[in-house]
Amino acid sequence: MTAPGPKALVPFVSVEHMMRIVHRVGLRPALRAIAGEIEADFRRWESFDKTPRIPAHHPLGVIELMPTADGETYGFKYVNGHPKNAAGGLQTVTAFGLLADMATGYPVLLSEMTILTALRTAAMSALAAKYLAPETATMAVIGNGAQCEFQCLAFAELCGITDVRLWDIDGRATEKAARNLAGTGLRVTSCGSAEEAIEGAGIVTTSTADKRNATILSDNMVGAGVHLNAVGGDCPGKTELAAGILHRASIFVEYPPQTRVEGEIQQLDPDHPVTELWQVIAGTAPGRRSATEVTLFDSVGFAIEDFAALRWARTAALETGLHAELDLLADPDDPRDLFGMVMRAAPADD
Amino acid sequence: MTAPGPKALVPFVSVEHMMRIVHRVGLRPALRAIAGEIEADFRRWESFDKTPRIPAHHPLGVIELMPTADGETYGFKYVNGHPKNAAGGLQTVTAFGLLADMATGYPVLLSEMTILTALRTAAMSALAAKYLAPETATMAVIGNGAQCEFQCLAFAELCGITDVRLWDIDGRATEKAARNLAGTGLRVTSCGSAEEAIEGAGIVTTSTADKRNATILSDNMVGAGVHLNAVGGDCPGKTELAAGILHRASIFVEYPPQTRVEGEIQQLDPDHPVTELWQVIAGTAPGRRSATEVTLFDSVGFAIEDFAALRWARTAALETGLHAELDLLADPDDPRDLFGMVMRAAPADD
């Protein structure tokens, strides 16, 4: 058999490649670079095709496709959410994604996105806080699962956080996060309650995994001037904040048609005022307006963030050489002669 | 670095693997097996989630996602259509697809689908003809591009066609197809016009590639009792048959909401009567009703056909061992410790 031609090969970033890219680039520089790509894309928000996710539901979870395109490049992410997976030793959320050249339809990158989604979610949170949070050195993190350490390092890199105060309903999760964060330069305090964790914190990140309407933060726990980074509430029936907080806060969202269904604001009237974060980043809407304002980034994750992260991954993979070439596309000498290509490929030893 | 665990690995069928599978199984048995999978899925049509394709348009072409699910298994195909690609030595249509377990959200197959789509399109055409075509040994094929030879062999295998009569506006395409079909057991006649090609043919397949409203067959060319297999008209603004033929024919389609936009029947009123092919296969609607009836399968390709083809590909790949294992999914020992997995993966030599 002849080797496939270069047009047939698609750069592929495996999980192993992604981990090696993160080590080669450095985790904090990677988070800063991804935040930069997201920031650039949020500034040109109006140039993207936007659509809510396309879901396929099952009693145990959901599989979603998240496509977007900017007129030159097309991207989509495949992502699942299966809360009971962890009990069977599987990831609750796994993902992969693709970029393609819209002028030819040919894919130009296939990448794992379980790790990349963790990076972009943290980068997105810290980018939003750069525009919305008060001056502070301290962040509380309620919920110390898979997202926790990425959040801490993104806020260290982009917002100057030096102290993180951790709490989780499961003490082993907090121990895991504290152990992982040792040696990163952050001062880590493991707390015995959510109330203790938020003491002195100018930023409160919630990233719990319960698939239900929980109240991780009650109204009286949130003082004036705090920035809330609500990461965990991200599907219908899954919220983390008491409704009272939402009524006091200035709320910033990614894409309202999606956030009103999936975010904390699913608890509010469908016409409750919110600000689209891209407008703040583009300079057409105000971010934080006073030292006493409570700001809330009601994060659910949007396709444009994945698109930006995939662009970073492609550049990093090509620059470092840390990728494989996947024989994903047929490449006959004569495009009309697909049959001939298949027939001439008869292996001598088969 | 430690090797990824088995949960992280997704079977991957490359173009090379797919070609080797076709040679190992045999092309005609493969076409028969895929037709069998499609037939089984059309019989249980109502158990599928169905949705029109999700397109992203560009002046030079379109990229589409085609998802479907049967409650246990999820599948989607990525496919592009870029008519001007051939001029640059690229495929007009390339595709890949995925199957996933809906109970966990984990992918269970990633496969090239450029070749697989060619196989399933031919298998689908021959399957439809099994229910709709008159007794005949002769098929005309108007348009001798990438789909032509696959159509001929699928009709030989499933419908007993022994004679094919080829015509293309580009004689080199006909020469290519005739050369490829030599030695397959089919009697091949290269014709000088469409009129000559359809002489004595009980089945007429049209599979041209022009992206415009062409008239490959005019009304007076189609005699009583013929079955028309219209493969090439498959997007808005791209049709092959004169409207007069459509008014005389009994029309069978895959999924009406998609065919009314993409198929030959885009030329008709939106309420023109059509029969859904799955009902014929399930036995709840009649197929051919008389020897003089003109039947038309207005084929555009639907997600369930890809789903069935992917299931065949997965079985064939696992049975033959002709696949790779793709490190697409992160597989930490503790699903909450994604960060730890990334950090512990620090390569010694980086």
Side-chain angles (χ1 to χ4, degrees), chain A residues 56-59 63 78 82, chain B residues 41 44 47-49 67-76 98-109 303-304 306-308 310-312 314:
Chain A
H57 295 283
H58 182 274
I63 293 172
Y78 169 103
H82 286 71
Chain B
D41 282 354
R44 61 187 187 109
S47 63
F48 284 91
D49 286 340
T68 191
D70 69 0
E72 287 184 9
T73 305
Y74 171 88
F76 80 83
L98 173 129
L99 290 179
D101 176 1
M102 294 190 80
T104 64
Y106 271 46
V108 297
L109 177 73
I304 293 174
D306 299 312
F307 184 91
L310 284 167
R311 196 173 54 235
W312 169 81
R314 179 162 191 262

Side-chain angles (χ1 to χ4, degrees), chain B residues 2 34 37 40 44 60 100 139 161 171 175 198 202 214 246 259 273 286 299 310 316 324 337 339:
Chain B
T2 51
I34 293 167
E37 297 288 349
R44 61 187 187 109
L60 290 174
M139 176 165 80
I161 290 293
E175 280 168 33
I198 65 177
L246 305 181
T259 312
S299 169
L310 284 167
D337 196 12
F339 183 89

Side-chain angles (χ1 to χ4, degrees), chain B residues 177-197:
Chain B
R179 196 168 53 239
N180 282 334
L181 290 170
T184 61
L186 282 166
R187 264 189 302 274
V188 180
T189 308
S190 299
C191 302
S193 69
E195 287 80 356
E196 184 189 339

Side-chain angles (χ1 to χ4, degrees), chain A residues 298-317:
Chain A
D298 187 0
S299 168
V300 297
F302 188 58
I304 293 174
E305 296 150 37
D306 298 312
F307 184 92
L310 284 167
R311 196 174 53 237
W312 169 81
R314 179 162 191 263
T315 303

Side-chain angles (χ1 to χ4, degrees), chain B residues 181-222:
Chain B
L181 290 170
T184 61
L186 282 166
R187 264 189 302 274
V188 180
T189 308
S190 299
C191 302
S193 69
E195 287 80 356
E196 184 189 339
I198 65 177
E199 270 173 33
I203 299 173
V204 178
T205 289
T206 54
S207 58
T208 61
D210 245 358
K211 191 170 182 170
R212 60 189 174 102
N213 292 315
T215 303
I216 310 302
L217 291 181
S218 58
D219 195 8
N220 62 0
M221 289 167 67
V222 176

Side-chain angles (χ1 to χ4, degrees), chain B residues 26 32 68 92 104 110 153 165-166 253 266 288 291 307 334:
Chain B
R32 179 176 287 277
T68 191
T92 308
T104 64
L110 181 74
L153 289 169
R165 301 175 64 80
L166 311 181
V253 305
Q266 65 187 274
R288 169 169 290 270
F307 184 91
D334 172 0

